[in-house]
């Protein structure tokens, strides 16, 4: 039996499956790095999050022993129980990304399928979630190519360096059938655009009208570069393991971003440099992040370990960092006040990460550390939205200054009024404290849990439960949360004395704004605090 005659994989059931730069390669490169840094450990749970389908199947494919005359052994498929640890199966099975018309020494590759992404229901949301970064990158790409991205079947961005360490870029676009054929060759500002005519080597893999736009310094090289160029060995390894059928893939060398490629993570993107270093712990010579949307959202993080480093320990450390991400992001979010424009999304982020990390699987393929995750399709654009907000949303003094210029909230909306707001809160499993945090963000009102009161009744804030409340008044959602977290399951309703968990509304006093407090029925009675009517038998 050959080494690859037994292949075991998890087969998911169906469905399981301060201003943007005007330099296009900076916009696209910065976007690619943003996807990798935040996508790797921040697969978000959006509003209305549904749990991934239960009980995925494990498929073991093994060879049947063939007689000597057989050229290839027949394959049979056997379904076995999933042990909860095997790597998720890929939703696609395409060839590796083609490298024709890519500059030699490329350190950053971004491969997209714009037409397919635009045709997917989540495509427009994904582009919109990227905010000014996405608008700028899309606009610059269309200006350089001279046609809309909807006419582009496949787009490859490459970033490399010149002899003086300046950055050079190239775009390779394979057009959809019937797209207008551009001019054979012309200048576009300081760039050159030409139609690739050679069909040898890698060009066969991208046979169609292929348009190339590049820095002038690269034009002579790329006109003759239809075959794969020499790249760093670790980049080549990840390209060989890539899948051209996925809708988005970014491949880069982390050390490049610490040196001459630092311009790709400058300005608003500067925090990404530290985030990537934290994630990989300097143990990755190259990193690839790919994403795909079909019935679900799929993401894969793949790293090529540094020389002589075994892949299995690297895979375990990578998964450990993914699991540690919720706490790290929680510290990041709590470190400073955020502008109200996106504060609620960021306040939800730590809880979302805890949910998403449970659906990540790690393993080793081709001596590379791999982490894969399946989530509902909307999780993808929420991931991109959070990445953009975390980098661009004003915080600290900038947030205070921005909010001071915004219209004041009408004093007519009391806490009772906010509890009448219609909200949606849904998750497969989370804690009482996280559920309250999410609801507080939704209604923009502090909700405190008096842990000492709960302790006297033997109630903890870390108990877990599922919640699915859609388009309901926030007050009803809060009561449902308290009902699910109540230790006595025999309580027949919120007015039942056995419903120990209650909330009270405290008026503004001692310089503190009015707020909602989670306590117990006994503690509230001892302090003489009036319970809302829903908790009284009237």
């Amino acid at each position: 039996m050959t080494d690859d005659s037994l292949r075991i994989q998890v087969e998911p059931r169906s469905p399981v499956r301060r201003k943007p730069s005007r330099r296009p390669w900076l916009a696209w490169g910065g976007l690619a790095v943003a996807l990798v840094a935040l996508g790797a450990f921040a697969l978000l749970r959006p509003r209305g999050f549904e749990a991934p389908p239960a009980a995925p199947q494990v498929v073991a494919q093994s060879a049947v022993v063939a007689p000597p005359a057989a050229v290839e052994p027949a394959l049979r498929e056997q379904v076995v129980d999933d042990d909860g640890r095997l790597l998720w199966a890929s939703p696609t099975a395409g060839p590796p990304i083609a490298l024709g018309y890519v500059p030699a020494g490329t350190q950053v590759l971004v491969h997209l399928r714009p037409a397919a992404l635009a045709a997917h229901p989540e495509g427009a949301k994904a582009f919109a979630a990227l905010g000014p970064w996405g608008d700028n990158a899309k606009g610059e790409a269309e200006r350089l190519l001279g046609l809309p991205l909807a006419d582009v079947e496949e787009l490859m961005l490459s970033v490399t360096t010149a002899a003086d360490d300046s950055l050079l870029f190239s775009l390779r676009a394979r057009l959809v059938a019937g797209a207008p054929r551009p001019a054979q060759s012309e200048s576009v500002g300081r760039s050159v655009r030409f139609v690739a005519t050679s069909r040898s080597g890698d060009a066969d893999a991208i046979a169609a009208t292929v348009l190339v736009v590049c820095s002038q310094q690269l034009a002579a090289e790329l006109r003759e570069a239809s075959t794969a160029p020499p790249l760093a060995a670790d980049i080549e390894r990840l390209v060989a393991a890539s899948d051209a059928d996925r809708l988005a893939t970014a491949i880069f060398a982390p050390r490049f971003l610490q040196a001459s490629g630092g311009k790709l993570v400058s300005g608003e993107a500067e925090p990404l440099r530290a985030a990537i270093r934290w994630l990989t712990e300097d143990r990755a010579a190259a990193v690839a992040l790919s994403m795909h949307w079909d019935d679900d959202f799929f993401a894969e993080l793949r790293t090529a370990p540094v020389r002589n480093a075994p892949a299995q320990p690297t895979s375990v450390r990578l998964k450990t960092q993914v699991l540690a991400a919720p706490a790290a992001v929680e510290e990041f979010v709590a470190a400073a006040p955020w502008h109200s424009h996106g504060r609620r999304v960021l306040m939800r982020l730590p809880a979302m990460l805890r949910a998403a990390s449970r659906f990540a699987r790690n393993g080793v393929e081709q001596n590379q550390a791999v982490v894969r995750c399946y989530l509902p399709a909307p999780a993808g654009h929420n991931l991109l939205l959070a990445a953009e907000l975390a980098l661009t949303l004003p915080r600290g003094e900038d947030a205070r200054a921005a909010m001071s210029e915004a219209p004041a909230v009408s004093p007519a909306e009391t806490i009772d009024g906010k509890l009448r707001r219609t909200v949606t809160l849904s998750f497969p499993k989370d804690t009482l404290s996280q559920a309250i945090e999410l609801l507080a963000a939704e209604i923009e009102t502090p909700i405190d849990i008096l842990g000492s009161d709960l302790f006297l009744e033997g109630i903890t804030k870390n108990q877990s439960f599922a919640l699915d409340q859609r388009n309901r008044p926030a007050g009803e959602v809060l009561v449902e949360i308290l009902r699910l977290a109540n230790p006595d399951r025999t309580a027949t309703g919120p007015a039942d004395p056995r419903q120990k968990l209650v909330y009270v509304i405290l008026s503004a006093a001692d310089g503190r704004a009015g707020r909602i407090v989670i306590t117990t029925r006994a503690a509230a009675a001892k302090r003489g605090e009036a319970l809302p009517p829903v908790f009284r038998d009237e």
Side-chain angles (χ1 to χ4, degrees):
M1 183 178 290
T2 60
D3 291 342
D4 62 352
S5 60
L6 179 63
R7 300 190 300 270
I8 299 178
Q9 60 182 350
V10 174
E11 183 66 35
R13 289 179 179 172
S14 179
V16 171
R17 300 226 248 242
R18 275 162 159 162
K19 194 172 181 179
S21 166
R22 295 297 299 172
R23 289 173 287 184
W25 47 266
L26 282 181
W28 283 94
L31 172 59
V33 176
L35 297 182
V36 174
L38 290 172
F41 58 84
L43 300 177
L44 303 189
R45 169 177 48 75
R47 295 184 191 179
F49 175 89
E50 302 289 348
Q57 295 175 329
V58 178
V59 177
Q61 297 173 322
S62 58
V64 175
V65 177
V71 177
E72 292 184 359
L75 291 179
R76 64 181 173 84
E77 185 175 89
Q78 179 184 1
V79 176
V80 297
D81 291 336
D82 178 15
D83 64 2
R85 296 188 301 272
L86 293 177
L87 193 62
W88 294 120
S90 170
T92 57
I97 295 170
L99 291 177
Y101 307 104
V102 168
T106 288
Q107 297 286 331
V108 174
L109 292 166
V110 183
H111 182 267
L112 302 173
R113 295 178 56 207
L117 185 58
H120 193 281
E122 291 294 315
K125 298 176 184 177
F127 276 115
L130 295 172
W133 281 15
D135 288 342
N136 180 60
K138 182 175 181 289
E140 286 295 333
E142 292 180 337
R143 182 184 68 84
L144 290 169
L145 296 172
L147 44 81
L149 287 184
D151 287 342
V152 178
E153 179 67 29
E154 174 250 26
L155 183 68
M156 171 78 93
L157 165 75
S158 307
V159 179
T160 187
T161 54
D164 61 356
D165 276 346
S166 60
L167 299 182
L168 304 176
F169 85 98
S170 69
L171 284 176
R172 182 194 74 202
R174 178 165 61 90
L175 309 186
V176 300
R181 188 179 179 88
Q184 192 68 22
S185 181
E186 59 184 321
S187 296
V188 185
R190 290 180 293 177
S191 305
V192 175
R193 179 170 63 210
F194 62 90
V195 174
T197 56
S198 172
R199 299 296 173 88
S200 62
D202 266 9
D204 290 336
I206 55 173
T209 299
V210 176
L211 191 61
V212 178
V213 184
C214 63
S215 303
Q216 290 182 348
Q217 299 95 310
L218 296 174
E221 172 191 344
L222 293 186
R223 287 182 188 276
E224 306 298 329
S226 60
T227 57
L231 302 178
D234 297 304
I235 296 288
E236 289 184 345
R237 288 166 57 199
L238 289 181
V239 171
S242 66
D243 189 328
D245 285 353
R246 294 184 188 167
L247 296 183
T249 300
I251 302 174
F252 70 93
R255 291 179 181 175
F256 173 68
L257 302 178
Q258 308 295 332
S260 53
K263 292 179 182 178
L264 295 176
V265 284
S266 60
E268 288 176 335
E270 181 69 30
L272 294 175
R273 196 188 314 237
I276 294 168
R277 197 163 201 170
W278 175 86
L279 181 68
T280 63
E281 296 182 319
D282 290 333
R283 299 177 186 275
V287 175
L289 174 73
S290 58
M291 300 180 182
H292 189 75
W293 285 262
D294 45 29
D295 293 336
D296 308 291
F297 172 69
F298 169 84
E300 176 189 273
L301 176 66
R302 182 180 289 264
T303 69
V306 293
R307 294 297 182 185
N308 301 319
Q312 182 59 41
T314 301
S315 171
V316 173
R317 282 191 292 267
L318 189 62
K319 179 64 180 293
T320 299
Q321 293 300 87
V322 170
L323 294 175
V329 173
E330 191 166 42
E331 291 295 324
F332 171 71
V333 172
W338 297 81
H339 191 275
S340 58
H341 170 70
R343 184 175 63 233
R344 288 188 293 172
V345 174
L346 290 174
M347 287 181 67
R348 290 196 296 266
L349 181 53
M352 296 174 182
L353 295 180
R354 290 185 178 94
S357 63
R358 290 196 292 269
F359 307 124
R361 298 275 187 91
N362 68 297
V364 173
E365 283 188 349
Q366 304 177 44
N367 199 36
Q368 296 163 5
V370 183
V371 177
R372 287 175 175 168
C373 185
Y374 275 97
L375 289 173
H381 76 259
N382 279 270
L383 163 66
L384 300 178
L385 173 62
E388 194 273 340
L389 287 175
L391 293 171
T392 63
L393 191 67
R395 56 185 180 270
E397 293 301 323
D398 291 338
R400 294 187 183 94
M403 288 187 288
S404 67
E405 300 174 1
V409 176
S410 172
E413 188 175 27
T414 62
I415 291 180
D416 283 328
K418 291 183 178 182
L419 287 174
R420 288 192 290 270
R421 288 185 184 180
T422 299
V423 300
T424 291
L425 202 59
S426 179
F427 47 78
K429 188 177 182 181
D430 223 327
T431 64
L432 170 62
S433 60
Q434 292 297 331
I436 293 299
E437 180 181 333
L438 295 176
L439 184 61
E442 287 288 337
I443 64 175
E444 299 177 297
T445 297
I447 304 180
D448 299 331
I449 300 178
L450 299 184
S452 57
D453 290 356
L454 273 60
F455 177 78
L456 294 175
E457 297 279 358
I459 305 173
T460 69
K461 297 187 291 183
N462 296 322
Q463 57 185 297
S464 298
F465 50 86
L467 184 72
D468 188 15
Q469 299 289 301
R470 302 172 186 273
N471 301 316
R472 294 186 60 187
E476 294 182 12
V477 175
L478 178 56
V479 170
E480 180 65 10
I481 291 172
L482 298 180
R483 187 189 69 79
L484 292 171
N486 192 62
D488 191 337
R489 301 300 183 187
T490 64
T492 58
D496 190 324
R498 289 171 292 189
Q499 174 64 41
K500 296 182 178 182
L501 275 176
V502 298
Y503 74 84
V504 297
I505 299 175
L506 300 184
S507 303
D510 300 326
R512 297 190 64 179
R515 67 193 193 279
I516 301 169
V517 170
I518 306 300
T519 181
T520 64
R521 189 180 295 272
K526 184 177 181 179
R527 291 191 293 265
E529 296 166 345
L531 298 181
V534 69
F535 294 110
R536 302 197 299 264
D537 189 7
E538 299 177 345

